[in-house]
Amino acid sequence: MPRTSAFSAHRLSAHPQLHAIASRAYATTQDKKTLVLLGTGWGTTTILKHLDTANFNVVVVSPRNYFLFTPLLPSCTVGTTESRSIMEPIRHIVKRRGKQMQFFEAECTDIDM
């Protein structure tokens, strides 16, 4: 998994391939601002489901490619609920939006403002 050591509004500096891929993906939509979301927790999942992508280029960076509904973890350990019932892959949310969102399985260790 690539480790992203610096993140800024204009470049993903630790892993050059991430910057190149993101630049190609949004080459035709330079007039929109880019929204970078770190992680795939409660906040990111809610934003992805309700965000109007007509106004933003969306880039999600997270070391995990799924959302885990943590309140049901105890139910999984005792067998009441299956683990697949409490996890939602982020790729399903991103696919529903088409090419309007990009997901990178990477880790951000520093933010360059």
Side-chain angles (χ1 to χ4, degrees), residues 2-113:
R3 289 180 62 88
T4 303
S5 64
F7 231 103
S8 73
H10 301 290
R11 67 182 279 150
L12 303 165
S13 61
H15 205 291
Q17 293 174 345
L18 295 179
H19 184 268
I21 293 168
S23 296
R24 279 195 308 269
Y26 296 126
T28 59
T29 58
Q30 293 295 328
D31 56 325
K32 296 194 288 186
K33 291 188 178 193
T34 300
L35 176 63
V36 178
L37 300 170
L38 301 177
T40 53
W42 292 92
T44 298
T45 306
T46 303
I47 288 171
L48 289 176
K49 288 182 178 182
H50 297 96
L51 184 69
D52 181 13
T53 55
N55 299 325
F56 298 98
N57 296 319
V58 181
V59 178
V60 181
V61 179
S62 178
R64 286 171 295 284
N65 62 355
Y66 58 88
F67 167 71
L68 178 65
F69 190 74
T70 52
L72 287 179
L73 276 174
S75 298
C76 287
T77 59
V78 297
T80 308
T81 306
E82 291 187 35
S83 60
R84 65 181 176 181
S85 300
I86 66 168
M87 294 179 5
E88 180 176 8
I90 293 299
R91 69 179 175 271
H92 290 172
I93 299 170
V94 172
K95 271 187 180 180
R96 281 184 226 139
R97 298 295 187 127
K99 294 184 178 182
Q100 300 165 341
M101 293 184 184
Q102 291 287 314
F103 174 78
F104 297 105
E105 190 169 349
E107 183 177 274
C108 179
T109 57
D110 191 25
I111 298 176
D112 181 358
M113 299 291 270

